[in-house]
Amino acid sequence: MSDPSPILDELRAMAVFATVVRSGSFAAGARALGLTRAVVSHHVRTLEAKLGVPLAQRSTRSFSLTPAGEAFRVHCERLLDEAHDGIRGMELLRAEPRGEVRITCSHHFGNKRILPALLEFRRRYPAIRLHVSMNDANVDLMQKGIELAVRAGPLADSSLVARRLVREPTMLCASPAYLRRYRAPSTLSELEQHRWVVYPPSQRTLNVQVNGQTVPVEVRGDVVTDSAASRLAFVLAGEGIARLPAYDAAAPLASGELVQLLPEVQTAPLEIYLVHAQRIGPSARLLRDFLLSEADG
């Protein structure tokens, strides 16, 4: 077994550096850690020697980060936060967790995947109050006081943390009723001539993979919706074709209510993320970790 001492020394130095940055100076960081300034400086110098770059410009009166220090600060602060979160998480296990969590997710995916998990969470942690908002809109988490959001990626706001919950395969589908009226497409050019159930409303093209090549397909149709549940209902009713996630398509395909089109054409998977601010409360952390563990299981 290799000696863990070097990595432990590096982790300690990273925690010291993060504390110095948050405190604003070596002296303040030393006071926060209960160490001498000389010891704190030694840890940072050792870290700089290991990395081969200076992390901070310091003098008796000023302290500022170098570009490398600014980039490395993010990793060190994350390490420190995760350590604090882990300790607080263990403290939660010593007694019945209490508190409340506000979470938002879409109606359709929320009812299919999130609601069952929330019911199990309530059985396990009955003293935690849940405020659940089923909303297809991407609301401002900070403004609405929401701690957790379930959203389809990619994430535009880089100030938020995104943890992937689901990577769901998708496929092109239509109903037998639709295919009785319009001949099933056998090529991508024929696919572009068909009627689509357009979701979301902003969609104009759909990128697909054929023989390793990405091909854009134009999407047009008389039905446009911002609801995934409505999309499925319109496709089942024969109003058009659509790219559907497997959790929507599997049962109707098995029952014959839907037909997969062009199975050789690959469509991008649907990626669903659990999104939250950099710092969240202990109850929200507990629910976050529970949902992630359920997804992994």
Side-chain angles (χ1 to χ4, degrees):
M1 180 180 295
S2 60
D3 182 7
S5 299
I7 188 63
L8 292 177
D9 291 341
E10 290 164 12
L11 292 174
R12 186 180 299 110
M14 290 173 70
V16 169
F17 179 63
T19 304
V20 168
V21 171
R22 287 184 171 173
S23 301
S25 70
F26 278 78
R31 287 194 297 272
L33 292 165
L35 302 172
T36 66
R37 179 170 175 167
V39 170
V40 167
S41 295
H42 170 73
H43 280 299
V44 177
R45 284 197 302 271
T46 301
L47 201 54
E48 290 174 323
K50 173 70 176 180
L51 298 172
V53 292
L55 298 174
Q57 303 287 347
R58 58 268 208 188
S59 68
T60 55
R61 295 187 177 181
S62 65
F63 166 81
S64 62
L65 294 178
T66 64
E70 188 62 43
F72 193 58
R73 168 190 67 83
V74 176
H75 303 287
C76 295
E77 290 189 333
R78 186 179 302 151
L79 170 74
L80 196 60
D81 289 341
E82 289 292 337
H84 289 158
D85 287 350
I87 292 171
R88 282 192 289 268
M90 291 301 101
E91 290 171 350
L92 278 172
L93 294 178
R94 291 206 301 265
E96 183 180 26
R98 297 181 177 275
E100 68 177 37
V101 188
R102 295 181 179 272
I103 181 170
T104 183
C105 54
S106 70
H107 286 278
H108 193 57
F109 182 79
N111 282 322
K112 282 182 174 288
R113 291 292 183 87
I114 301 302
L115 186 56
L118 294 180
L119 291 172
E120 177 58 32
F121 181 82
R122 280 286 301 153
R123 285 190 285 269
R124 192 173 300 185
Y125 305 107
I128 293 182
R129 298 184 300 277
L130 294 180
H131 296 259
V132 183
S133 172
M134 295 287 192
N135 193 323
D136 288 340
N138 280 343
V139 299
D140 186 309
L141 302 191
M142 302 299 184
Q143 188 178 51
K144 298 294 185 181
I146 294 172
E147 293 177 284
L148 299 175
V150 180
R151 291 180 176 171
L155 187 63
D157 188 347
S158 60
S159 69
L160 299 175
V161 176
R163 309 282 185 91
R164 192 168 71 191
L165 273 177
V166 174
R167 193 172 193 268
E168 189 83 7
T170 66
M171 59 206 71
L172 299 174
C173 295
S175 72
Y178 175 85
L179 297 175
R180 283 194 292 269
R181 286 186 291 150
Y182 306 99
R183 186 167 60 88
S186 58
T187 65
L188 290 183
S189 60
E190 289 182 7
L191 184 64
E192 286 194 317
Q193 306 308 312
H194 276 261
R195 298 170 183 265
W196 290 75
V197 175
V198 180
Y199 170 88
S202 60
Q203 186 174 54
R204 295 294 177 266
T205 60
L206 177 69
N207 288 328
V208 301
Q209 289 274 334
V210 182
N211 298 324
Q213 298 294 316
T214 300
V215 181
V217 175
E218 189 174 355
V219 173
R220 292 174 294 184
D222 296 329
V223 177
V224 180
T225 179
D226 63 357
S227 163
S230 296
R231 172 188 58 185
L232 177 60
F234 280 120
V235 174
L236 288 169
E239 291 291 339
I241 66 178
R243 165 182 167 254
L244 297 178
Y247 61 75
D248 272 345
L253 286 172
S255 67
E257 294 175 275
L258 287 180
V259 176
Q260 184 177 0
L261 305 176
L262 301 174
E264 72 278 7
V265 172
Q266 294 181 318
T267 52
L270 176 65
E271 297 192 327
I272 303 292
Y273 291 86
L274 187 60
V275 179
H276 57 82
Q278 295 284 344
R279 304 299 298 273
I280 54 177
S283 297
R285 286 196 299 272
L286 195 62
L287 178 55
R288 175 200 65 188
D289 294 344
F290 179 82
L291 292 174
L292 290 171
S293 68
E294 287 289 294
D296 289 341

